[in-house]
Amino acid sequence: MEMIDLIGARMPLEGAQVLDVGSGWLPIIPIMFSFRGVGKIYLTDLNRLMSLPSLNAAIRALRAEEKRIAAHWNLPPGALSAFLAQASSATNLDQALGSLRLSYLAPCDCQHLDLPANSLDLVISRAVLEHVPPPVIQNIFIEAQRLLKPGALTAHIVDNSDHWEHGDKSLSRINFLRFSADFFRWTHINSLDYQNRLRHSQYIAMLRKANLTMVEDRADVDPQALADTKTLPLHPDFQGFAPEDLAAINSWLLARKT
Ligand SMILES: C[S@@+](CC[C@H](N)C(=O)[O-])C[C@H]1O[C@@H](n2cnc3c(N)ncnc32)[C@H](O)[C@@H]1O
């Protein structure tokens, strides 16, 4: 909801044409954008992961939060349920997505999409970029720059923490910065485990390189991770970064095509 509010404060959501990079299984954020009035959201993924059951799981998750969502936007109780009703009773994925103004393009690669230049009002991603190799991210930003209308926005939420810590709380949230690239490669023999270890400042540099102008960025610096930058034996690859950059656990990045 915060992401939608931050974007909604800077552009009209009503009728906007939106692209979601790497939609995964549960299009919770795209459904919320649609609920808030955007005209169409293109959902993307390298693989066709979404199904009617996974879409229904997203709808159930949203229904479970209905009271909180209604209170946040000062809406009548039941407004979200009414919006979701047609999708909930759909018998196939296309019908359900259509009723939510979602268009599923997968399988596709956001480095090159079959959409016209200057056609989108917004390109978003959440929990995607940290799993994407840097040259691919650069191409995704360049493609976003092509697709966005002049003046339109792109917004990204990135989890920069070591994802191995998510399952083992004894680890530092920046533990993975101890390792060389060659050694770290062994942790993601399974490509689903891939993490690029990019830091906050590197995403900003890549957005700028794609000819996008930064509007706002927030680095959520974790105090323990900041302390860990002084005690962990950081690999030389990471020693040239500011401690706050290394300890930025979450990034919020908002840029504009000028
Ligand atoms: C962690 S998952 C999805 C998270 C989802 N956005 C959410 O909020 O639940 C990241 C997804 O990005 C997709 N992805 C990675 N690179 C991509 C690319 N170049 N184009 C489109 N999707 C990509 C992956 O296939 C994966 O399903």
Side-chain angles (χ1 to χ4, degrees):
M1 288 191 280
E2 197 197 350
M3 180 190 201
I4 296 175
D5 289 343
L6 287 169
I7 294 169
R10 295 193 180 267
M11 62 172 271
L13 294 178
E14 197 63 38
Q17 302 289 301
V18 183
L19 176 81
D20 180 43
V21 175
S23 305
W25 290 264
L26 302 170
I28 291 177
I29 290 179
I31 295 173
M32 294 274 273
F33 268 101
S34 190
F35 178 54
R36 296 301 288 157
V38 307
K40 182 177 225 175
I41 306 199
Y42 295 103
L43 306 180
T44 64
D45 211 293
L46 293 175
N47 305 301
R48 214 170 157 83
L49 301 174
M50 210 172 295
S51 61
L52 190 57
S54 79
L55 180 66
N56 280 327
I59 290 173
R60 278 197 303 278
L62 283 166
R63 277 193 202 283
E65 295 292 329
E66 173 148 28
K67 275 196 188 135
R68 198 164 66 85
I69 294 168
H72 179 83
W73 282 313
N74 204 15
L75 296 168
L80 180 62
S81 284
F83 175 74
L84 298 171
Q86 217 183 324
S88 307
S89 59
T91 52
N92 65 65
L93 182 64
D94 285 344
Q95 200 186 1
L97 291 171
S99 75
L100 297 168
R101 302 194 298 278
L102 306 178
S103 172
Y104 195 29
L105 303 182
C108 63
D109 185 338
C110 288
Q111 295 181 85
H112 305 285
L113 290 169
D114 193 12
L115 292 172
N118 304 315
S119 61
L120 298 177
D121 299 292
L122 178 66
V123 173
I124 57 169
S125 78
R126 187 201 76 112
V128 173
L129 297 183
E130 64 268 30
H131 301 293
V132 178
V136 177
I137 297 178
Q138 189 65 69
N139 288 339
I140 290 174
F141 287 167
I142 291 168
E143 180 67 344
Q145 203 274 350
R146 182 184 77 82
L147 295 172
L148 287 169
K149 297 174 186 171
L153 294 170
T154 183
H156 303 275
I157 294 176
V158 191
D159 178 351
N160 304 313
S161 69
D162 183 344
H163 286 34
W164 293 104
E165 180 270 351
H166 299 186
D168 179 353
K169 294 296 175 193
S170 71
L171 295 175
S172 163
R173 298 182 78 186
I174 56 166
N175 185 59
F176 59 0
L177 303 185
R178 293 163 53 206
F179 308 118
S180 69
D182 277 349
F183 182 83
F184 191 65
R185 194 169 301 135
W186 291 101
T187 67
H188 48 84
I189 293 171
N190 179 343
S191 62
L192 289 176
D193 293 328
Y194 176 75
Q195 303 176 73
N196 59 33
R197 301 190 294 170
L198 289 173
R199 308 325 292 157
H200 183 79
S201 62
Q202 293 175 292
Y203 288 104
I204 294 176
M206 283 197 273
L207 283 161
R208 289 191 171 131
K209 197 170 168 191
N211 216 7
L212 292 157
T213 304
M214 288 308 298
V215 173
E216 182 179 81
D217 71 283
R218 291 191 196 170
D220 173 10
V221 176
D222 178 64
Q224 183 57 53
L226 191 59
D228 294 344
T229 62
K230 299 193 173 45
T231 53
L232 280 180
L234 296 176
H235 187 270
D237 287 355
F238 299 100
Q239 286 174 8
F241 288 83
E244 290 74 16
D245 201 10
L246 296 176
I249 293 306
N250 293 297
S251 292
W252 160 252
L253 303 152
L254 185 65
R256 190 185 293 284
K257 173 170 172 175
T258 45

